[in-house]
Amino acid sequence: MDFTPTEEQTAAQGLAAQIFGDLATHERLAAAGTGTDTELWKELCAAGLTAAVEEIGLLGLVLLLEEQGRTTAQVPLAVTCAYGLLAVAEHGTDEQRERLLPPLRDGTAVATGGFPARDGLRADGEGRLSGTVPYVPWLRDATLVLVADADRVLWIVRTADPGVAVTPVETTAPWSAARLTLDRVPGERLGPAGRTGTSTGANSVTGAAAYGAVLAASRTAFAGLQAGVCAGSLARAVAHTATREQFGRPLSTNQGVLLRAADAHMDTEAIRVTAYEAAWRHDRGLPYAAQALTAAWWASEAGKRVVHAGQHLHGGTGADLDHPVHRHFLWGRQLDAYLGCGSEVLEQLGQLLVKEGSQ
């Protein structure tokens, strides 16, 4: 395994770091409230970073999301790429890719996904979908939603279609989330059973297997986002403890502070390297279901520890709801639960390993 980024991935990550660093300031984030920073989203798309994901792969996306997580920038980058660009590119038909990818590349369309599936949706024989998904991130911004029915078949739903109800939901992290309710909405099946063409993506599979592939890719992507959230939280804690003095010396000279920060650093690196491994295997067409679950477990369990440590190391300042580190805490806790909390993911990993061992 070699996780060294390619020249294209490094360039994309550097550009993302510059844009997020310049525009995702504390003042802009505070002004955005629970909404999306539309100007920042336009800047990312104009710079070609969304379109680049098809070329730089899932590992490249993980690198971009690390930079987003460092600043907790409020843009639908993870969902548009994981549930839109990569899902359609890998599992859509030729006709679907030709039609759906261009607006996703330039940002005129925003995708999200009702994942993981909770048996809340059903499809009739005519492909009409009914049911409710209680929480979908960035749904208020989305034009397309990727959902799975009870049989884990993937469907594309347009939020502007009749019968689609989007009800805002406030969550820990300000992700423009909403509840999705469908009432006999005509869905477009993703893949060979869609309108025309055949599915020819490098990682293309059909039916329930496609659902599993998209879920694994999204878990890997959000693990990368969590790595950035944790890195940003830790960087703020280090800066605070290095300058804040107590009893005539910086807090960072206390052994307890050093050990807590060191543990948080190791946890952050564990999230990062497991996300890199899963993404690397995905991009090379290797099996990576176990690696994606491993990355998700570290993102949930270790991510929770890191953002708690970051807030704790700020002392009373960390309890200030307006302090930047509190935003990292909220994002980290949201990512802890999204796509499966640690115990749930660990159970799935155990079942997968038992299944593979019996084959």
Side-chain angles (χ1 to χ4, degrees):
M1 293 180 290
D2 182 5
F3 303 150
T4 304
T6 65
E7 183 178 344
E8 292 77 11
Q9 289 170 337
T10 300
Q13 183 182 24
L15 180 57
Q18 179 182 343
I19 294 174
F20 284 128
D22 290 344
L23 297 182
T25 62
H26 175 59
E27 292 73 22
R28 285 176 66 103
L29 289 167
T34 61
T36 292
D37 189 334
T38 55
E39 293 303 316
L40 174 55
W41 177 240
K42 291 178 182 177
E43 187 72 22
L44 290 171
C45 296
L49 288 176
T50 48
V53 170
E54 291 176 79
E55 297 297 327
I56 61 179
L58 184 56
L59 180 56
L61 175 59
V62 166
L63 295 173
L64 298 184
L65 292 177
E66 271 196 79
E67 301 306 325
Q68 179 186 358
R70 291 179 197 276
T71 59
T72 62
Q74 292 172 200
V75 289
L77 179 61
V79 287
T80 293
C81 293
Y83 301 124
L85 280 163
L86 291 181
V88 173
E90 294 177 4
H91 307 294
T93 65
D94 292 336
E95 189 274 336
Q96 285 174 330
R97 286 193 286 271
E98 183 179 352
R99 172 168 47 87
L100 297 174
L101 289 179
L104 289 169
R105 291 174 185 137
D106 63 22
T108 54
V110 173
T112 187
F115 281 65
R118 303 290 187 186
D119 299 325
L121 295 180
R122 60 189 181 279
D124 63 20
E126 299 177 349
R128 294 184 177 274
L129 302 169
S130 299
T132 300
V133 182
Y135 163 73
V136 181
W138 281 286
L139 179 57
R140 281 178 264 171
D141 301 323
T143 54
L144 302 173
V145 188
L146 187 65
V147 297
D149 62 21
D151 295 323
R152 300 301 185 260
V153 174
L154 294 178
W155 301 86
I156 300 170
V157 173
R158 290 162 181 78
T159 56
D161 283 353
V164 178
V166 175
T167 307
V169 173
E170 297 304 332
T171 62
T172 304
W175 291 354
S176 299
R179 179 184 299 107
L180 177 68
T181 303
L182 306 179
D183 183 11
R184 290 184 53 77
V185 175
E188 177 184 353
R189 185 165 177 170
L190 180 67
R195 296 180 180 176
T196 60
T198 57
S199 184
T200 57
N203 293 290
S204 178
V205 289
T206 59
Y211 164 78
V214 173
L215 178 58
S218 61
R219 278 175 165 156
T220 303
F222 276 92
L225 184 62
Q226 181 75 301
V229 169
C230 291
S233 174
L234 182 59
R236 291 186 183 280
V238 169
H240 175 79
T241 56
T243 55
R244 179 78 169 180
E245 292 190 358
Q246 189 177 58
F247 306 117
R249 60 177 186 173
L251 287 173
S252 60
T253 60
N254 294 319
Q255 187 178 44
V257 172
L258 290 171
L259 292 174
R260 191 78 185 276
D263 286 342
H265 171 73
M266 294 303 295
D267 273 338
T268 301
E269 289 303 299
I271 300 170
R272 177 181 289 116
V273 73
T274 52
Y276 284 8
E277 180 183 7
W280 179 86
R281 292 181 66 89
H282 167 277
D283 291 346
R284 281 154 182 76
L286 300 172
Y288 74 107
Q291 286 76 15
L293 286 168
T294 301
W297 183 84
W298 276 103
S300 176
E301 293 294 312
K304 183 167 47 181
R305 290 195 295 265
V306 173
V307 296
H308 274 265
Q311 192 172 38
H312 188 201
L313 289 173
H314 277 77
T317 305
D320 183 356
L321 300 183
D322 294 325
H323 194 280
V325 77
H326 188 69
R327 188 176 294 110
H328 289 268
F329 174 78
L330 296 178
W331 276 60
R333 289 311 307 259
Q334 190 69 46
L335 286 163
D336 160 39
Y338 183 56
L339 297 181
C341 64
S343 58
E344 180 182 358
V345 169
L346 189 61
E347 180 182 8
Q348 294 176 23
L349 177 58
Q351 292 172 348
L352 176 64
L353 294 178
V354 169
K355 181 180 178 180
E356 290 180 347
S358 63
Q359 292 177 346

